[in-house]
Amino acid sequence: MRARPLPFTVLALAGALFLTACGGDGDGGGGSDGGAGGAGDGKASGAGAACVLAEVKVETGPAAEAPADGDTGNVPVTVTNEGEECVLDGFPAVRLKGGDTSLTVPADEAAAAQELTLPKDVAATFTLTYVRGAGLDADNLLIGLPGDDGTTSLAWSYGPVALVDGEPDASVSAFQQAGD
């Protein structure tokens, strides 16, 4: 069983709210894939610089933890810009790590990345959806940003992640502007 993405109506509503909130100003930035797994395409246009981990705060939660094997959980991740205006263009690069094993979490196939410009003190979020089960006893979540080669490591306390064909039964959504 693959991790179920958010229902289409929720994604459509979020997309509509995003377009309304962003106003389509077209600022962009350049860069390459994030180093945590290369999930983002790293392509951006315009004059804005890519967001870098050295100038953002990354936090998880509050999560809707999967309570038992076979259940689906959701872990929201918030990226708050603490530096100059920057751009997120692509998907977050996410890996789950347990012991010596580190596995890439793929982007949700139903999601489309959109370029987001983050002024100072503005946040964006994405959600990691996973299925709990025997497979990877993850203890760390590695996160990279599109256009930045670095990664940051956060503790994973949401239980073991099921594997399907050796890959995590999980996915990450695209970045969305936080708040209104």
Side-chain angles (χ1 to χ4, degrees):
M1 176 176 163
R2 298 299 295 175
R4 295 193 184 272
L6 295 173
F8 177 77
T9 53
V10 171
L11 292 174
L13 177 60
L17 291 172
F18 165 77
L19 291 175
T20 301
C22 287
D25 61 19
D27 288 345
S32 61
D33 290 342
D41 66 11
K43 298 176 185 170
S45 60
C51 296
V52 293
L53 289 167
E55 295 184 6
V56 300
K57 179 169 71 172
V58 181
E59 301 174 293
T60 59
E65 185 176 336
D69 286 359
D71 290 339
T72 300
N74 293 299
V75 180
V77 179
T78 303
V79 177
T80 304
N81 181 20
E82 295 182 326
E84 297 297 316
E85 183 175 280
C86 65
V87 174
L88 292 171
D89 188 18
F91 283 88
V94 177
R95 297 181 67 79
L96 286 167
K97 185 175 186 316
D100 293 334
T101 303
S102 177
L103 300 173
T104 299
V105 178
D108 180 347
E109 294 174 2
Q114 296 184 23
E115 184 176 298
L116 293 179
T117 299
L118 293 182
K120 183 177 174 95
D121 298 324
V122 172
T125 63
F126 69 90
T127 302
L128 186 151
T129 301
Y130 72 101
V131 174
R132 186 176 182 137
L136 178 63
D137 287 323
D139 52 17
N140 284 294
L141 178 63
L142 304 175
I143 298 171
L145 302 178
D148 184 10
D149 291 331
T151 61
T152 189
S153 180
L154 302 171
W156 177 268
S157 59
Y158 309 108
V161 178
L163 298 178
V164 174
D165 298 327
E167 299 299 321
D169 194 357
S171 64
V172 294
S173 71
F175 289 105
Q176 297 180 23
Q177 193 92 28
D180 50 1

